[in-house]
Amino acid sequence: MKTLPKTDAVIIGGGWTGLLMAKELSARTPISVVVLERGAPRHKEDYIGGMDELDYNVRFRLMQDYGLQTVTLRYTTKDKAIPVRQLGSFMPGQGTGGAGEHWGAVWPRFQPDVFNLLTSTTQRYGAKKLPEGHSVVDWGVTWEEIEPYYVKADKLVGAGGKAGNLRGKVVDGGNIFEGARSEEYPLPPTKTPYFGSLFKDAALKLGYHPYPNPAAILSQNYTNPDGISRQACFYCGFCDRFGCMVGAKSQPTNTLLPIVEKAKSVTLRHGCWVRRIVYDKSSGRATGVSYIDANGEETIQPADLVILGSWTLNNTRLLLLSGIGEPYDPNTGKGVVGRNLTHQISFTAAQAFFDKPLNRFMGAAPAGTRMSDFDGDAFDHSNLPFIRGGTFAGMGTGFQPIVGFGAVPSSVKTRWGSEWKKAAVYWYDRVGTVSFAGEHVAYRDHYFDLDPTYKDHLGDPLIRMTIDWNENEREVVKFAIAKGVEIAKAMGAKEIVPSAPYGHYDTRRYQSTHVQGGTIMGKSPEHSVVNTFGQHWQASNLFVMGASQFANNGSANPTPSVIAFTYRTADAVIDRYLKHPGKLA
Ligand SMILES: Cc1cc2nc3c(=O)[nH]c(=O)nc-3n(C[C@H](O)[C@H](O)[C@H](O)COP(=O)(O)OP(=O)(O)OC[C@H]3O[C@@H](n4cnc5c(N)ncnc54)[C@H](O)[C@@H]3O)c2cc1C
C-alpha cells in the first residue's frame, strides 16, 4: 500500500457534481484538489462521428460495467435480494463526466413544495392523506434559498425554455405552475418538432397549459459566465445515451472539463476506484480516501476535506462501507444512512400511431412540449386515491433506427415474419409517445443497505436496494395512462396503445436514472445524513453531493436541482467552511 502526499481536498467522482465542485474550488480558492474518477478519461472531441447506435445505445459504451459492480434488489425486507445482471431500470455512468455525458438534458426544476412535502401535504389534506408507511420529511430548505442557485445552473448549461412565472407574474406560454423564477431562461426554447407541436395543439384543445420543454441543449450559440462557448444544436437526434458530437448538449466534458484541466491546482486521476473514505471516529473527521489506482495498487490519499460526488448508489455505498453514520434500520426506524430510496416514475403513458410521417429521426432528447397541469399539487387530490402526480410530454427525441424500430399498433396481429416486418417499416416514423414523469414518495421500508451475500470484483459488499411500487404509485400510473390516452386521441392518433398498469418494480425496463435518497439532507442528525449544505453531521470535513441528498423524488428530472445544490454546497465550503472549519448548521 502506498500513501501519497496530503492534498487540501479530494473529490470522489468526475461527473457533474465532482467536476463542478473542482471548477468552483479552483476558480475561487488556492487550495489543492485531487479528483478521483474510476472510469476512463474522456474529452468532448471523443464524440465526433459518434452516432454509433450499436456501440452507445445497445452495448452501452458509456455506462457502468455491471460485470465489476452491480446492485442487488428485492421488493420487501422479507425477500432475499438477487443481483441485477444487466443494465435495466437505470444506467449509471462511468468515466469523465459520469452519466452527465449520456444524459438526455431535459431541464426542469422541482416544484417548490417538493422541499416541504410533509408540511404542505399535511396542511392541505391532513396527515391521513399521506400513503401508509410513508417516510416523507421536509428537506429543511426553502424555494427562496435554492432559486438563485437554479439561476446559476441555468447559466452554466445555457438552458433554453420559456418562464411561466417570472418573479410571481404568470406568463402565458410558459409553465404557469412552476415556482417563481427570478430570471428568464438564458436562451429561448429549442425548436419544436412536429410531434411536439401536435402535443401542444392537443393540450391547448383540452384546456391544459403546455409549454416548451426546458432543455440543457443549446437553442443558439452560447457563451456561459465561465467563458465556455458552445454551438447550437442541429437536431441530429443522438442525445440520450450518447455524447454530443457538436457540444450542443451540455456535458461535464464540454462545460466544466476545459476549465478544470487548465487549473494548476487540480489533479484529475482516472482508473482510481475508491473503496473507503478513511474516517477517524474519535475526532469525527475524514482523513482521506483509500483506493485502487490505475495500476491496481492500493493507495491512500490523505486530505483535509473530502467531497463525495459518486452518484446516489455509490455515495450511499461508500458511506456504509466506510462506517460513517448509523445505517438505517427499517424495523426500528433508527439510523439514517440508506433511508428514503426513491425512483422517479417514468414511463410511456400511451403510444400514439398516426397515418402520416412524423419525421422523428430529427430532434433532440428534450425538444418538444410538456404540461404540468397534473404535477405535484397543481390539481386537487381531495377525492383522488393518491397524492402528487407528474408531467406529460410529447418530445421529438430522435428516433434511432435500432432501438426505435419495431413498434406496431394492436391492429397488427403478428409479432414476427414478413407481415410484421412490413408493418414495422410502415409504422417506424408514424409512432410517438405521450410520456409521463411522476413523483415517487418515500416509504419507511424502501432503503439501501449492504448486501450480506453478494460482493463486487474487489470483494466489497454490493449495495442492496429494497424497493417496490405501492398503491399510491399504482394509482398515479392508472391516472396517467387515462390522461395519456386522452391526449393521444386529441392529437389525432389513429391507433393508441395504452401502457400496462404498474405491477412490481421492474429492473428490466428502463425507467430513468433518477434514483434518489440514501444520504438525505435535513435539519437534524436524527433524521438525515447531511445538513442542507451537504455537510455530514458526523464528519464536518466531509461533504456529500448529488441526488442522494434528496429526501423524496420530485416528478422533475433531477440534474438542475443536483447542480443547484452543488453550487450551494460550493458557496458554503468556500465562503464559510474554509474560513472557519467546523459545523455549518
Ligand atoms: C440515460 C440517462 C439519461 C438522463 N437524462 C437526464 C435528463 O434528461 N435530465 C436530468 O435532469 N437528468 C438526467 N439524467 C441524470 C443525470 O445524468 C444525473 O443526475 C447526473 O449525471 C448526476 O451527476 P453526479 O455527479 O451526481 O453523478 P454521475 O454523473 O453518475 O457521476 C458520478 C461519477 O462518479 C464515479 N464513481 C462512482 N463510484 C466511484 C468510486 N468508487 N471511485 C471513483 N469514482 C467513482 C462514476 O464513474 C461517475 O463518473 C440521465 C441519466 C442517464 C443515465
Side-chain angles (χ1 to χ4, degrees):
M1 161 140 28
K2 74 176 176 225
T3 300
L4 299 171
K6 191 155 107 175
T7 177
D8 292 324
V10 64
I11 298 176
I12 306 165
W16 270 125
T17 56
L19 290 187
L20 178 57
M21 187 57 94
K23 175 186 84 75
E24 290 292 298
L25 288 174
S26 66
R28 295 165 57 190
T29 78
I31 71 171
S32 57
V33 178
V34 169
V35 181
L36 299 172
E37 165 54 49
R38 69 180 176 188
R42 257 190 232 124
H43 289 93
K44 58 184 194 294
E45 295 77 18
D46 297 349
Y47 304 114
I48 295 169
M51 295 153 81
D52 182 343
E53 194 188 356
L54 193 60
D55 198 9
Y56 284 89
N57 205 358
V58 178
R59 296 184 180 142
F60 303 131
R61 175 186 177 138
L62 299 176
M63 284 44 155
Q64 181 173 315
D65 182 351
Y66 269 19
L68 300 180
Q69 182 202 313
T70 181
V71 302
T72 69
L73 191 129
R74 59 182 182 168
Y75 294 141
T76 73
T77 51
K78 294 191 188 78
D79 303 328
K80 182 176 170 355
I82 50 168
V84 176
R85 299 287 185 192
Q86 288 178 348
L87 287 157
S89 56
F90 51 86
M91 307 227 170
Q94 187 156 299
T96 324
E101 293 300 287
H102 60 265
W103 73 318
V106 178
W107 189 255
R109 297 178 176 188
F110 284 155
Q111 296 277 23
D113 61 1
V114 166
F115 305 128
N116 68 341
L117 194 54
L118 181 62
T119 303
S120 65
T121 309
T122 311
Q123 275 172 357
R124 184 161 175 186
Y125 303 105
K128 285 202 178 124
K129 185 75 181 173
L130 283 151
E132 203 190 326
H134 78 88
S135 66
V136 173
V137 287
D138 292 344
W139 298 25
V141 285
T142 62
W143 177 254
E144 289 67 32
E145 281 169 323
I146 200 66
E147 201 281 333
Y149 294 104
Y150 273 124
V151 174
K152 286 185 91 160
D154 283 355
K155 290 181 181 170
L156 175 79
V157 302
K162 181 167 169 42
N165 180 342
L166 207 45
R167 294 180 282 280
K169 189 168 172 281
V170 169
V171 186
D172 279 346
N175 175 12
I176 61 164
F177 302 101
E178 70 181 350
R181 289 174 177 270
S182 54
E183 293 187 31
E184 179 53 276
Y185 287 87
L187 292 182
T190 57
K191 289 183 196 306
T192 305
Y194 183 44
F195 187 73
S197 68
L198 293 177
F199 181 99
K200 179 182 169 188
D201 294 345
L204 285 171
K205 199 158 72 186
L206 292 167
Y208 302 140
H209 301 86
Y211 57 90
N213 200 28
I217 286 184
L218 297 184
S219 58
Q220 295 174 357
N221 293 350
Y222 178 69
T223 302
N224 78 6
D226 297 320
I228 296 291
S229 297
R230 295 167 27 237
Q231 78 165 67
C233 177
F234 64 78
Y235 302 94
C236 75
F238 287 77
C239 313
D240 206 321
R241 304 181 189 192
F242 296 80
C244 179
M245 64 176 163
V246 294
K249 182 177 78 167
S250 187
Q251 298 168 197
T253 52
N254 60 34
T255 305
L256 301 169
L257 188 66
I259 301 173
V260 170
E261 277 191 323
K262 277 198 199 121
K264 291 203 171 56
S265 56
V266 182
T267 310
L268 185 51
R269 291 189 205 132
H270 288 93
C272 296
W273 188 295
V274 176
R275 295 181 74 184
R276 302 286 185 276
I277 296 163
V278 187
Y279 177 55
D280 177 8
K281 205 169 179 178
S282 58
S283 64
R285 285 184 70 74
T287 58
V289 301
S290 77
Y291 67 96
I292 304 294
D293 76 6
N295 301 317
E297 194 173 351
E298 271 192 68
T299 308
I300 300 275
Q301 174 62 70
D304 285 330
L305 184 62
V306 177
I307 295 169
L308 184 52
S310 59
W311 192 60
T312 306
L313 274 69
N314 301 308
N315 284 354
T316 308
R317 182 171 182 248
L318 274 169
L319 290 189
L320 290 168
L321 286 172
S322 309
I324 310 178
E326 194 184 341
Y328 173 70
D329 179 346
N331 297 315
T332 61
K334 295 221 168 80
V336 283
V337 188
R339 66 173 291 191
N340 284 35
L341 159 59
T342 56
H343 191 174
Q344 179 195 43
I345 300 172
S346 177
F347 76 113
T348 293
Q351 268 183 321
F353 293 85
F354 293 83
D355 57 1
K356 54 190 170 187
L358 301 169
N359 288 349
R360 289 197 66 214
F361 46 84
M362 291 187 293
T369 308
R370 188 169 291 273
M371 53 173 253
S372 295
D373 297 70
F374 300 101
D375 195 16
D377 239 351
F379 59 123
D380 183 33
H381 292 73
S382 305
N383 296 318
L384 292 171
F386 59 86
I387 61 164
R388 311 305 283 174
T391 61
F392 292 88
M395 292 187 277
T397 305
F399 233 28
Q400 290 139 25
I402 303 176
V403 172
F405 183 77
V408 291
S410 316
S411 60
V412 178
K413 294 297 174 209
T414 170
R415 288 291 176 272
W416 61 282
S418 53
E419 198 189 318
W420 173 80
K421 272 191 212 159
K422 209 167 121 196
V425 169
Y426 175 80
W427 289 109
Y428 170 67
D429 190 34
R430 290 174 170 81
V431 60
T433 58
V434 176
S435 62
F436 178 76
E439 229 168 298
H440 184 204
V441 296
Y443 293 93
R444 276 202 293 277
D445 55 1
H446 290 173
Y447 72 112
F448 296 105
D449 65 354
L450 293 176
D451 192 281
T453 310
Y454 296 99
K455 300 191 166 33
D456 70 8
H457 69 303
L458 297 171
D460 290 327
L462 296 178
I463 193 95
R464 176 168 67 177
M465 301 170 68
T466 304
I467 187 171
D468 200 2
W469 301 123
N470 287 347
E471 215 37 43
N472 194 70
E473 294 73 65
R474 295 201 177 106
E475 291 294 340
V476 168
V477 163
K478 262 196 244 165
F479 182 85
I481 293 168
K483 287 282 169 214
V485 169
E486 176 194 44
I487 296 165
K489 268 190 200 147
M491 288 171 80
K494 292 297 163 218
E495 287 197 56
I496 297 167
V497 178
S499 166
Y502 264 20
H504 285 296
Y505 181 93
D506 186 348
T507 57
R508 298 161 306 171
R509 181 185 69 82
Y510 183 68
Q511 195 163 299
S512 72
T513 311
H514 309 152
V515 185
Q516 313 188 329
T519 77
I520 67 170
M521 70 172 84
K523 281 279 191 202
S524 91
E526 284 76 49
H527 305 294
S528 56
V529 176
V530 295
N531 64 27
T532 65
F533 302 104
Q535 183 181 43
H536 200 286
W537 288 110
Q538 273 84 43
S540 63
N541 67 334
L542 170 62
F543 288 81
V544 185
M545 303 174 301
S548 60
Q549 291 180 343
F550 299 170
N552 47 275
N553 162 259
S555 69
N557 299 5
T559 310
S561 309
V562 163
I563 294 181
F565 276 97
T566 303
Y567 267 126
R568 187 165 185 268
T569 296
D571 272 3
V573 169
I574 294 166
D575 299 336
R576 295 177 55 198
Y577 178 84
L578 290 177
K579 290 181 182 151
H580 304 287
K583 284 193 180 160
L584 295 174

